[in-house]
Amino acid sequence: MFDTKIAIVIRNDLATWQKLNVTAFLTSGIVAQTPAIIGEPYRDAVGHVYNPMTIQPIVVLAADQDTLRTIHRRVLDRDVTASAYIEEMFSTGHDAANREMFAQFGPDNSKLAGLALRAEKKVVDKIVKGAKMHP
């Protein structure tokens, strides 16, 4: 149905609140990259209007830190634009502080908490190889 795939890979040793927080932040990055994936507003049976959501399913995967680093390298090697969240960002309180913290680390020394990407299905499948469906 879709030529592309959206995948979010979350580090499997995070606390539940962290996994949910990271998933939300990473999803916002995918939507910002491609606003056209947002559908029409939802309406219930009595006319209440709710926010539109993505028209495309999102796969949420889990991986350990080593697998997440491998996936990160594949993202960079294939020049795929991704959303990334590092562990150190849990200690910040707003966007500017997040970006400031993020800028202090590179692919070799960051403690990734999660990555999200949207690309051709086959490309995404190759990149996220090794990650498992999130339980």
Side-chain angles (χ1 to χ4, degrees), residues 27-135:
T27 301
S28 71
I30 295 298
V31 172
Q33 177 190 9
T34 315
I37 65 172
I38 298 300
E40 296 296 319
Y42 283 71
R43 296 184 195 297
D44 68 17
V46 294
H48 298 112
V49 178
Y50 299 86
N51 289 329
M53 294 184 273
T54 66
I55 60 172
Q56 186 172 358
I58 299 172
V59 177
V60 180
L61 306 166
D64 60 26
Q65 182 69 74
D66 289 339
T67 304
L68 200 50
R69 283 187 192 279
T70 299
I71 292 168
H72 190 199
R73 280 193 298 277
R74 291 179 191 148
V75 163
L76 298 174
D77 290 347
R78 288 172 174 81
D79 201 28
V80 172
T81 302
S83 304
Y85 195 101
I86 60 172
E87 186 175 306
E88 293 81 5
M89 290 164 60
F90 289 123
S91 67
T92 63
H94 55 87
D95 183 55
N98 280 347
R99 282 184 278 112
E100 190 175 305
M101 181 65 73
F102 191 88
Q104 295 177 32
F105 298 89
D108 296 330
N109 68 347
S110 64
K111 295 177 193 162
L112 286 169
L115 292 167
L117 60 143
R118 179 178 179 265
E120 284 184 36
K121 283 182 184 180
K122 290 180 182 180
V123 172
V124 171
D125 289 341
K126 288 178 183 177
I127 289 173
V128 301
K129 185 178 178 183
K132 306 289 184 210
M133 288 298 289
H134 195 282

